[in-house]
Amino acid sequence: MTYKNFPMVSKVIFGRGSFNQLEEIIAPKRNGRHAPFIYYVDDVFKGNHWLTSRITLSYKDKIIYVPTKEEPKTSQIDTLVEDIILEFSEKPSGIIGIGGGIVMDIAKAVSLMLTNKGEAKDYQGWDLIKNPAIYHVGIPTISGTGAEVSRTTILTGPERKLGINSDYTPFDQVILDPELTKDVPKDQWFYTGMDCFIHCIESLNGTYLNAFSQSYGEKALDMCKDIFLNDTLDTETAQDQLMMASWHGGMSIAYSQVGVAHALSYGLSYLLGIKHGIGNCIVFDHLDEYYPEGVKLFKDMKSKHGIELPKGICEDLDEHQFDVMIDVALSLEPLWENALGKKWQKIMTRDKAKELYQKM
Ligand code: NAD
Ligand code: ZN
């Protein structure tokens, strides 16, 4: 047995208003006036003075607003990297991602691709990255994905939706400022929050579970229950706790894996462009066979917050489209092995996967 030896975020700061310390945190990382800091900022913050006025631009530093209607593509990363190479004479001093999972994944991927030759699609997979990334900082503005702590950046490429998983992917610095999440719309708060809840359920019920994953997963699950089911927390405490639940959920899957919901959700996302948070919710709603207690809790949370999920999304699909989704989902072997054990292929047949998709 060889155990995974995995890297973690090197530095992290937590607290309401800690975003104000960004400038002093990154200043020592500046490599001269020609090496800018590039800020990728979720375009929901465009014109939002409350946030953007606190970003200090010096020399050639630049803010690039990122649309987040669609999840990141490998070709998009290649273009962003090319833009930087063409515009600046030197490599950036740092890449800073301010936003949800999409923007954080873009920041990670760009920082990796600035120091690794070729196209982003060449690195989708496990441990294909050769060179350390540019200094990169993650600042979540919505809680749940665990992207702030993970060693992956999830990208859709020409052939697959798969992360660039590597020891160089985790952020060098993370700023956890729960105040930044104050304006997240309720439905999005639920979908992204449920990503965290589902990470916990899939990790805690997986065959890869160990004490390391369990310790983080149980804590995150308890926090999710307090936030989404019990009315015991005030708004600010709930924001603080969800930010930490996201972190712990991410730490839990770091040493185990996700499971059935994520695998099937990747299929939906690849074919239909359905985003991660809501896609996981759509799938998880139908997984009582695999996660009975988790699905029951999920349904309680859904009804408590009056969340209506889309229905009939697979109704009009043809055989070929089902095949594409099933191919994407079933290619994620570690997820299935974690969820269903080494003989997962006997349980999750193509017919079974199709039957599940047909319910959604
Ligand atoms: P997101 O990045 O898609 O953002 C969701 C929406 O919330 C966007 O419309 C955004 O504009 C809005 N938003 C974000 N912060 C806001 C704020 N403070 N106020 C108002 N609106 C705000 O959502 P997400 O669920 O955080 O991320 C999903 C992405 O993360 C997917 O691309 C998924 O593949 C990826 N992901 C990555 C990992 C990882 O480990 N790298 C893990 C899980 C998911
Ligand atoms: Zn997830």
Side-chain angles (χ1 to χ4, degrees):
M1 177 85 189
T2 43
Y3 295 99
K4 271 198 289 182
N5 182 14
F6 74 92
M8 298 189 8
V9 169
S10 319
K11 287 192 136 188
V12 56
I13 179 169
F14 172 84
R16 305 184 81 81
S18 58
F19 183 63
N20 294 336
Q21 285 170 246
L22 174 61
E23 190 185 356
E24 83 182 59
I25 289 170
I26 63 175
K29 303 290 176 185
R30 190 181 288 280
N31 300 323
R33 55 176 60 212
H34 297 292
F37 284 109
I38 308 285
Y39 297 83
Y40 291 110
V41 179
D42 192 312
D43 72 358
V44 78
F45 294 113
K46 206 170 186 172
N48 181 326
H49 193 67
W50 175 77
L51 184 111
T52 54
S53 66
R54 290 190 275 162
I55 301 174
T56 316
L57 300 180
S58 310
Y59 308 111
K60 295 184 171 159
D61 297 353
K62 185 170 183 180
I63 294 181
I64 298 170
Y65 289 101
V66 184
T68 49
K69 286 212 167 46
E70 290 180 5
E71 299 192 345
K73 298 196 169 55
T74 53
S75 56
Q76 179 187 2
I77 302 302
D78 297 335
T79 307
L80 290 170
V81 169
E82 196 182 349
D83 290 348
I84 291 178
I85 292 171
L86 292 177
E87 183 168 347
F88 302 100
S89 57
E90 289 180 18
K91 286 211 168 111
S93 296
I95 305 290
I96 297 140
I98 305 175
I102 291 185
V103 177
M104 286 191 283
D105 277 358
I106 287 176
K108 286 175 168 181
V110 168
S111 73
L112 288 164
M113 292 311 301
L114 278 165
T115 53
N116 287 276
K117 284 201 190 93
E119 298 174 72
K121 71 173 168 55
D122 304 336
Y123 296 95
Q124 284 181 286
W126 281 271
D127 303 305
L128 302 169
I129 290 281
K130 307 244 164 12
N131 305 313
I134 299 270
Y135 174 74
H136 50 303
V137 180
I139 308 180
T141 63
I142 180 170
S143 302
T145 63
E148 66 279 13
V149 73
S150 73
R151 83 189 273 283
T152 190
T153 158
I154 303 175
L155 302 175
T156 303
E159 275 151 46
R160 56 191 151 245
K161 182 176 179 191
L162 184 62
I164 301 181
N165 299 263
S166 86
D167 280 357
Y168 302 116
T169 309
F171 286 113
D172 299 298
Q173 170 79 55
V174 168
I175 296 182
L176 297 177
D177 181 347
E179 197 184 20
L180 301 182
T181 67
K182 68 183 176 58
D183 297 322
V184 171
K186 180 159 183 191
D187 53 352
Q188 190 63 53
W189 163 80
F190 185 84
Y191 301 145
T192 301
M194 284 302 109
D195 190 22
C196 173
F197 172 74
I198 295 168
H199 291 160
C200 298
I201 300 294
E202 293 189 324
S203 172
L204 292 170
N205 293 285
T207 61
Y208 289 3
L209 188 66
N210 52 55
F212 186 104
S213 293
Q214 191 175 358
S215 64
Y216 286 104
E218 284 177 350
K219 182 66 195 168
L221 181 60
D222 283 347
M223 288 194 275
C224 286
K225 286 184 196 162
D226 281 343
I227 296 158
F228 292 100
L229 270 185
N230 310 335
D231 277 320
T232 48
L233 307 177
D234 62 75
T235 309
E236 290 195 356
T237 309
Q239 289 165 1
D240 293 4
Q241 296 229 350
L242 190 51
M243 194 158 262
M244 287 322 299
S246 174
W247 181 277
H248 280 72
M251 286 300 296
S252 182
I253 48 178
Y255 224 125
S256 58
Q257 241 317 339
V258 286
V260 181
H262 275 75
L264 294 175
S265 171
Y266 276 37
L268 289 182
S269 160
Y270 186 83
L271 183 77
L272 304 172
I274 294 178
K275 291 175 76 182
H276 190 82
I278 190 170
N280 286 350
C281 288
I282 293 171
V283 176
F284 197 69
D285 214 17
H286 299 284
L287 296 186
D288 33 316
E289 206 178 325
Y290 306 96
Y291 306 110
E293 285 166 34
V295 173
K296 187 178 172 306
L297 281 173
F298 174 77
K299 288 186 190 288
D300 290 346
M301 295 172 179
K302 201 176 65 157
S303 81
K304 181 175 166 65
H305 296 287
I307 302 290
E308 293 274 348
L309 294 172
K311 289 201 171 69
I313 53 170
C314 297
E315 247 166 28
D316 300 324
L317 300 184
D318 60 32
E319 284 309 307
H320 172 69
Q321 289 174 307
F322 275 113
D323 279 337
V324 170
M325 283 200 301
I326 295 167
D327 285 342
V328 170
L330 294 188
S331 72
L332 299 162
E333 293 187 15
L335 282 65
W336 293 107
E337 189 181 301
N338 175 47
L340 305 172
K342 286 210 185 312
K343 297 190 175 149
W344 64 269
Q345 274 150 323
K346 292 209 162 44
I347 305 167
M348 189 47 63
T349 58
R350 296 186 73 89
D351 285 347
K352 184 71 202 175
K354 184 172 173 197
E355 189 189 312
L356 286 165
Y357 276 131
Q358 280 170 327
K359 288 187 192 171
M360 295 171 197

